[in-house]
Amino acid sequence: MPSILVDADACPVKEEIFKVAYRLNTPVTLVANSYLRTPNHPLISMQVVSDGFDAADDWIAENATPSCVVITADILLAGRCIEVGATVLGPTGKPFNSSNIGGAIATRAIMADLRAGLEQTSGPAPFSNKDRSQFLNALDRELQRLKREGL
């Protein structure tokens, strides 16, 4: 049975995740360093991890399986989850996969170097309603695919 693991600390699409999870009867685990308010629903659970560096990422990577959809904007976590066969979506619905993760990691490293050199970078575009809609469609599509494949 498919499930959803959410890198929840800064996730802007939690409500959209809940909406799809209810409709498709899919369990969701929110993972964060501190307790977050969650709906009182049997499909929704909260996993609070230590405040250690990358503790939430480590928990998600260790618990991700090929039947999981992982929701994260963290490119390095996405790479770790892809390695174990999980489906990974960014909060805008952008899929991370073995074909595009290498380029995403390289771009991340370049941007980190630019920031370290005090180069001005513009940062990500503001989150939009179009992003939310694309995310909803992508999450629905991936969960339906996993169910068809019997995962």
Side-chain angles (χ1 to χ4, degrees), residues 33-46:
N33 298 103
S34 60
Y35 179 79
L36 301 172
R37 263 178 85 162
T38 59
N40 184 15
H41 193 281
L43 288 172
I44 311 300
S45 64
M46 178 76 212

Side-chain angles (χ1 to χ4, degrees), residues 24-73:
L24 297 178
N25 197 36
T26 305
V28 175
T29 303
L30 298 158
V31 184
N33 298 103
S34 60
Y35 179 79
L36 301 172
R37 263 178 85 162
T38 59
N40 184 15
H41 193 281
L43 288 172
I44 311 300
S45 64
M46 178 76 212
Q47 178 66 47
V48 178
V49 298
S50 75
D51 61 357
F53 184 72
D54 280 346
D57 294 358
D58 291 343
W59 192 96
I60 292 168
E62 290 165 9
N63 289 276
T65 68
S67 65
C68 290
V69 176
V70 175
I71 310 301
T72 185

